[in-house]
Coordinates of all heavy atoms in Angstrom, one line a residue:
G1 N 191.5 142.8 159.5 CA 191.2 143.9 158.5 C 190.5 143.3 157.3 O 190.1 142.2 157.3
M2 N 190.3 144.2 156.3 CA 189.6 143.8 155.1 C 190.4 144.4 153.9 O 191.1 145.3 154.0 CB 188.2 144.3 155.1 CG 188.0 145.8 155.2 SD 186.3 146.4 155.4 CE 185.3 145.2 154.6
V3 N 190.1 143.8 152.8 CA 190.7 144.2 151.5 C 189.5 144.7 150.6 O 188.5 144.0 150.4 CB 191.4 143.1 150.8 CG1 191.9 143.5 149.4 CG2 192.6 142.6 151.7
V4 N 189.7 145.9 150.0 CA 188.7 146.4 149.0 C 189.4 146.4 147.7 O 190.5 147.1 147.6 CB 188.2 147.8 149.4 CG1 187.2 148.3 148.4 CG2 187.5 147.7 150.8
A5 N 188.9 145.7 146.7 CA 189.5 145.7 145.4 C 188.4 145.9 144.4 O 187.6 145.0 144.2 CB 190.2 144.3 145.2
T6 N 188.5 147.0 143.7 CA 187.4 147.4 142.7 C 187.6 146.4 141.5 O 186.6 145.9 141.0 CB 187.6 148.8 142.3 OG1 187.5 149.6 143.4 CG2 186.5 149.2 141.3
R7 N 188.8 146.2 141.1 CA 189.0 145.3 140.0 C 189.6 144.0 140.5 O 190.6 144.1 141.2 CB 189.9 146.0 139.0 CG 189.3 147.2 138.4 CD 190.2 147.9 137.4 NE 190.0 147.1 136.2 CZ 190.6 147.4 135.0 NH1 191.4 148.5 134.9 NH2 190.4 146.7 134.0
K8 N 189.0 142.9 140.2 CA 189.5 141.6 140.7 C 189.1 140.5 139.8 O 188.2 140.6 139.0 CB 189.0 141.4 142.1 CG 187.5 141.5 142.3 CD 187.1 141.6 143.7 CE 185.7 142.0 143.9 NZ 185.5 142.8 145.0
E9 N 189.7 139.3 140.0 CA 189.3 138.1 139.3 C 187.9 137.8 139.5 O 187.3 138.0 140.6 CB 190.2 137.0 139.9 CG 189.7 135.6 139.7 CD 189.7 135.1 138.2 OE1 190.6 135.6 137.5 OE2 188.8 134.4 137.9
E10 N 187.2 137.3 138.5 CA 185.8 137.0 138.5 C 185.3 136.2 139.7 O 184.3 136.4 140.2 CB 185.4 136.4 137.2 CG 183.9 136.2 137.0 CD 183.5 135.6 135.7 OE1 184.0 136.0 134.7 OE2 182.7 134.6 135.7
D11 N 186.2 135.2 140.1 CA 185.8 134.3 141.2 C 185.6 135.1 142.5 O 185.0 134.6 143.5 CB 186.9 133.3 141.4 CG 186.9 132.3 140.3 OD1 185.9 132.1 139.6 OD2 188.0 131.6 140.1
F12 N 186.2 136.3 142.6 CA 186.1 137.1 143.8 C 185.0 138.1 143.8 O 184.7 138.7 144.9 CB 187.5 137.8 144.1 CG 188.6 136.9 144.3 CD1 189.6 136.8 143.4 CD2 188.7 136.1 145.5 CE1 190.7 136.0 143.6 CE2 189.7 135.3 145.7 CZ 190.8 135.2 144.8
V13 N 184.3 138.3 142.7 CA 183.3 139.3 142.6 C 182.1 138.9 143.6 O 181.7 137.7 143.6 CB 182.7 139.4 141.2 CG1 181.5 140.3 141.1 CG2 183.8 139.9 140.3
G14 N 181.7 139.8 144.4 CA 180.6 139.5 145.3 C 181.0 138.9 146.6 O 180.2 138.5 147.5
K15 N 182.3 138.6 146.8 CA 182.8 138.0 148.0 C 183.7 138.9 148.8 O 184.4 139.8 148.3 CB 183.7 136.8 147.6 CG 182.9 135.7 146.9 CD 183.8 134.5 146.5 CE 183.0 133.4 145.9 NZ 182.3 133.7 144.7
K16 N 183.5 138.8 150.1 CA 184.3 139.7 151.1 C 185.7 139.1 151.3 O 185.8 137.9 151.6 CB 183.5 139.8 152.4 CG 184.1 140.8 153.4 CD 183.1 141.1 154.5 CE 182.7 139.9 155.3 NZ 182.0 140.3 156.6
L17 N 186.7 139.9 151.2 CA 188.1 139.5 151.4 C 188.5 140.1 152.7 O 188.5 141.3 152.9 CB 188.9 140.0 150.3 CG 188.5 139.6 148.8 CD1 189.4 140.3 147.8 CD2 188.6 138.1 148.7
L18 N 189.0 139.2 153.6 CA 189.4 139.7 154.9 C 190.9 139.3 155.2 O 191.3 138.3 154.7 CB 188.5 139.0 156.0 CG 187.0 139.4 156.0 CD1 186.3 138.6 157.0 CD2 186.8 140.9 156.2
I19 N 191.5 140.1 156.0 CA 192.9 139.9 156.4 C 192.9 139.1 157.7 O 192.3 139.6 158.7 CB 193.7 141.2 156.5 CG1 193.7 141.9 155.2 CG2 195.2 140.8 156.9 CD1 194.2 143.3 155.3
V20 N 193.5 137.9 157.7 CA 193.5 137.1 158.9 C 194.9 136.9 159.4 O 195.8 136.7 158.6 CB 192.8 135.7 158.7 CG1 191.3 135.9 158.3 CG2 193.4 134.9 157.6
Q21 N 195.1 136.9 160.7 CA 196.4 136.7 161.3 C 196.3 135.3 162.0 O 195.5 135.2 163.0 CB 196.7 137.8 162.3 CG 197.9 137.5 163.1 CD 199.2 137.5 162.3 OE1 199.5 138.5 161.6 NE2 199.9 136.4 162.2
P22 N 197.1 134.3 161.5 CA 197.1 133.0 162.3 C 197.6 133.2 163.7 O 198.5 134.0 164.0 CB 198.1 132.2 161.5 CG 198.1 132.8 160.1 CD 197.9 134.3 160.3
I23 N 196.9 132.5 164.6 CA 197.3 132.6 166.0 C 197.3 131.2 166.6 O 196.8 130.2 166.1 CB 196.3 133.5 166.8 CG1 194.8 132.9 166.7 CG2 196.3 134.9 166.4 CD1 193.8 133.5 167.6
D24 N 197.9 131.1 167.8 CA 197.9 129.8 168.6 C 196.8 129.8 169.6 O 196.0 130.8 169.6 CB 199.3 129.6 169.2 CG 199.7 130.6 170.3 OD1 198.8 131.3 170.8 OD2 200.9 130.6 170.7
D25 N 196.8 128.8 170.5 CA 195.7 128.7 171.4 C 195.7 129.8 172.5 O 194.7 129.9 173.2 CB 195.7 127.3 172.1 CG 197.0 127.0 172.8 OD1 198.0 127.4 172.3 OD2 196.9 126.3 173.8
K26 N 196.8 130.5 172.6 CA 196.9 131.6 173.6 C 196.7 133.0 172.9 O 197.0 134.0 173.5 CB 198.3 131.6 174.3 CG 198.5 130.4 175.1 CD 199.9 130.4 175.6 CE 200.2 129.0 176.2 NZ 201.6 128.6 175.8
E27 N 196.3 132.9 171.6 CA 196.1 134.1 170.8 C 197.3 134.8 170.5 O 197.3 136.0 170.2 CB 195.0 135.0 171.3 CG 193.6 134.4 171.3 CD 192.5 135.3 171.7 OE1 192.5 136.5 171.2 OE2 191.5 134.9 172.3
E28 N 198.5 134.1 170.5 CA 199.8 134.7 170.2 C 199.9 134.5 168.6 O 199.5 133.5 168.0 CB 200.9 133.9 170.8 CG 200.9 134.0 172.4 CD 201.2 135.4 172.9 OE1 202.0 136.1 172.2 OE2 200.7 135.8 173.9
V29 N 200.5 135.6 168.0 CA 200.7 135.6 166.6 C 201.6 134.5 166.1 O 202.6 134.2 166.6 CB 201.2 137.0 166.2 CG1 201.6 137.0 164.7 CG2 200.2 138.1 166.5
L30 N 201.2 133.9 165.0 CA 201.9 132.9 164.3 C 202.1 133.3 162.8 O 201.1 133.6 162.2 CB 201.3 131.5 164.3 CG 201.0 130.9 165.7 CD1 200.1 129.6 165.5 CD2 202.3 130.5 166.3
G31 N 203.3 133.4 162.3 CA 203.5 133.7 160.9 C 203.0 135.1 160.5 O 203.0 136.0 161.3
H32 N 202.6 135.2 159.2 CA 202.3 136.4 158.6 C 200.8 136.5 158.3 O 200.2 135.4 158.0 CB 203.0 136.6 157.3 CG 204.5 136.6 157.5 ND1 205.2 137.7 158.0 CD2 205.5 135.7 157.3 CE1 206.5 137.5 158.1 NE2 206.7 136.2 157.7
P33 N 200.2 137.7 158.2 CA 198.8 137.8 157.9 C 198.5 137.3 156.4 O 199.5 137.3 155.6 CB 198.5 139.3 157.9 CG 199.6 139.8 158.8 CD 200.8 139.0 158.6
E34 N 197.3 136.8 156.2 CA 196.9 136.4 154.9 C 195.6 136.9 154.5 O 194.8 137.3 155.4 CB 196.8 134.8 154.8 CG 198.1 134.1 155.1 CD 198.0 132.6 155.1 OE1 196.9 132.1 155.3 OE2 199.0 132.0 154.9
V35 N 195.2 136.9 153.2 CA 193.9 137.3 152.8 C 193.1 136.0 152.6 O 193.6 135.0 152.0 CB 194.0 138.1 151.4 CG1 192.6 138.4 150.9 CG2 194.8 139.3 151.6
A36 N 191.9 136.0 153.1 CA 191.0 134.9 153.0 C 189.6 135.3 152.6 O 189.2 136.4 152.9 CB 190.9 134.1 154.4
V37 N 189.0 134.5 151.8 CA 187.6 134.8 151.3 C 186.6 134.4 152.4 O 186.7 133.2 152.9 CB 187.3 134.1 150.0 CG1 185.9 134.4 149.5 CG2 188.4 134.4 148.9
D38 N 185.7 135.2 152.8 CA 184.8 135.0 153.9 C 183.6 134.2 153.3 O 182.9 134.6 152.4 CB 184.4 136.3 154.5 CG 183.4 136.1 155.7 OD1 183.6 135.1 156.4 OD2 182.6 137.0 155.9
S39 N 183.2 133.1 154.0 CA 182.0 132.3 153.6 C 181.0 132.3 154.7 O 179.9 131.7 154.6 CB 182.4 130.9 153.3 OG 182.7 130.2 154.4
V40 N 181.3 133.0 155.9 CA 180.4 132.9 157.0 C 180.0 134.3 157.6 O 179.3 134.3 158.6 CB 181.0 132.0 158.1 CG1 181.1 130.6 157.7 CG2 182.3 132.6 158.6
G41 N 180.4 135.4 157.0 CA 180.0 136.7 157.6 C 180.8 137.1 158.8 O 180.3 137.8 159.7
A42 N 182.1 136.8 158.8 CA 183.0 137.2 159.9 C 183.3 138.7 159.8 O 183.1 139.3 158.8 CB 184.3 136.4 159.8
G43 N 183.7 139.2 160.9 CA 184.1 140.6 161.0 C 185.4 140.9 161.7 O 185.9 139.9 162.4
T44 N 185.9 142.1 161.7 CA 187.1 142.4 162.3 C 187.1 142.1 163.8 O 186.1 142.4 164.5 CB 187.4 143.9 162.1 OG1 187.5 144.2 160.7 CG2 188.8 144.3 162.7
G45 N 188.2 141.5 164.3 CA 188.3 141.2 165.7 C 187.8 139.8 166.1 O 188.1 139.3 167.2
E46 N 187.1 139.1 165.2 CA 186.6 137.8 165.5 C 187.7 136.7 165.3 O 188.5 136.8 164.4 CB 185.4 137.5 164.7 CG 184.2 138.3 165.0 CD 182.9 137.9 164.4 OE1 182.8 138.0 163.1 OE2 182.0 137.4 165.1
L47 N 187.6 135.6 166.1 CA 188.4 134.5 165.9 C 187.7 133.6 164.9 O 186.4 133.4 165.0 CB 188.6 133.7 167.2 CG 189.4 134.5 168.3 CD1 189.6 133.5 169.5 CD2 190.7 134.9 167.8
V48 N 188.4 133.0 163.9 CA 187.8 132.3 162.8 C 188.6 131.0 162.5 O 189.8 130.9 162.9 CB 187.7 133.1 161.5 CG1 186.7 134.3 161.7 CG2 189.0 133.6 161.1

């Protein structure tokens, strides 16, 4: 998923915030989802 935040810390302005779910090598869920700043143009459903 993605996060849309109109008001945010200056370091996040102009950066895409995505929700990522850690997984193992079998694509099984590990832990809890986290928010990560995208530096490569990733999209929903992609492995990163």
Side-chain angles (χ1 to χ4, degrees):
M2 63 186 329
V3 175
V4 177
T6 304
R7 300 183 76 176
K8 55 192 165 214
E9 160 65 33
E10 186 177 313
D11 291 334
F12 296 113
V13 173
K15 294 178 177 64
K16 186 165 57 168
L17 304 175
L18 298 176
I19 302 170
V20 296
Q21 174 63 62
I23 60 171
D24 65 13
D25 61 324
K26 297 176 192 137
E27 295 191 37
E28 298 290 329
V29 170
L30 298 172
H32 300 283
E34 299 181 335
V35 176
V37 182
D38 183 31
S39 72
V40 294
T44 302
E46 291 189 295
L47 297 182
V48 293

